[in-house]
Amino acid sequence: MDDIVRQAITKWPHVPHCYGWLGLDARGDWYMRDDRVQAAGPFPAAKGAVLRHAKLIEFIHRNYEADEAGRWFFQNGPQRVYVELEAAPWILRLADDGQVLTHTGRVVQPRSSHVDEGGRLFLATDAGLGLVHTLDMHLAADRVDAGEWTPEPVRAAELAGRFGFVPSPASGRDGH
């Protein structure tokens, strides 16, 4: 977390949390969801406007984490902006050298692999659950073929409970 963010939290400790305004899709893109978009339906059915500003995305990446209840958020100064997740808290990219990186650029270590009924590949990592990006499935297939990963079947509806994350914090607000 950025030092300036920590300072803002100390200076303004009682800023209300924000729900429903930010979404992370299955390709690792961030979406801003204003009142109109939120009224149109839940994420990802109503996505909103994709963020393209590189510095803003970098700021979100540096200040993205989870609370004790498994709700992922972006700490925007003193305000916690909870994230609506399409698939998982992390979208994973696979590098040719064997590294696995989150959509924020963090190197993670896979612990287990899982495939849902839609054929999506998830990795449980030291940082939490991540969905392998569709563009990297050829590299993932190579790792499965080599015996490095042996995906266990899992139902998509069971992922959040099994791996301890909340896909839609907006649907269960804590009143702050």
Side-chain angles (χ1 to χ4, degrees):
M1 187 179 296
D2 289 359
D3 284 337
I4 194 165
V5 171
R6 283 191 191 92
Q7 292 168 11
I9 293 169
T10 302
K11 188 172 182 178
W12 299 289
H14 302 294
V15 174
H17 299 326
C18 179
Y19 295 87
W21 283 78
L22 186 62
L24 177 67
D25 78 357
R27 296 183 63 82
D29 290 325
W30 296 102
Y31 287 83
M32 287 298 297
R33 306 179 69 245
D34 62 18
D35 286 330
R36 179 188 55 78
V37 172
Q38 291 180 53
F43 189 78
K47 281 192 171 180
V50 68
L51 294 181
R52 296 285 182 219
H53 191 277
K55 295 292 183 188
L56 174 58
I57 293 168
E58 290 170 13
F59 182 64
I60 291 171
H61 287 177
R62 288 192 312 271
N63 296 287
Y64 178 62
E65 55 189 70
D67 68 11
E68 63 284 344
R71 298 173 303 179
W72 286 80
F73 64 90
F74 152 54
Q75 190 70 46
N76 184 23
Q79 185 171 55
R80 191 171 279 191
V81 179
Y82 283 99
V83 178
E84 299 293 300
L85 303 171
E86 180 175 354
W90 301 108
I91 306 304
L92 304 173
R93 300 303 310 259
L94 309 181
D96 290 330
D97 66 1
Q99 285 189 324
V100 178
L101 296 103
T102 68
H103 64 280
T104 66
R106 177 179 177 179
V107 176
V108 294
Q109 300 303 315
R111 295 182 174 159
S112 61
S113 58
H114 310 269
V115 65
D116 74 4
E117 62 274 15
R120 299 182 304 173
L121 181 65
F122 294 84
L123 300 177
T125 75
D126 57 330
L129 188 71
L131 171 66
V132 174
H133 196 288
T134 56
L135 293 177
D136 295 337
M137 287 305 291
H138 65 289
L139 293 171
D142 290 344
R143 293 185 185 185
V144 170
D145 288 344
E148 185 177 339
W149 296 337
T150 306
E152 300 172 24
V154 65
R155 291 176 37 89
E158 298 171 355
L159 289 168
R162 184 169 176 187
F163 294 99
F165 67 93
V166 178
S168 179
S171 65
R173 294 182 187 191
D174 64 358
H176 291 267

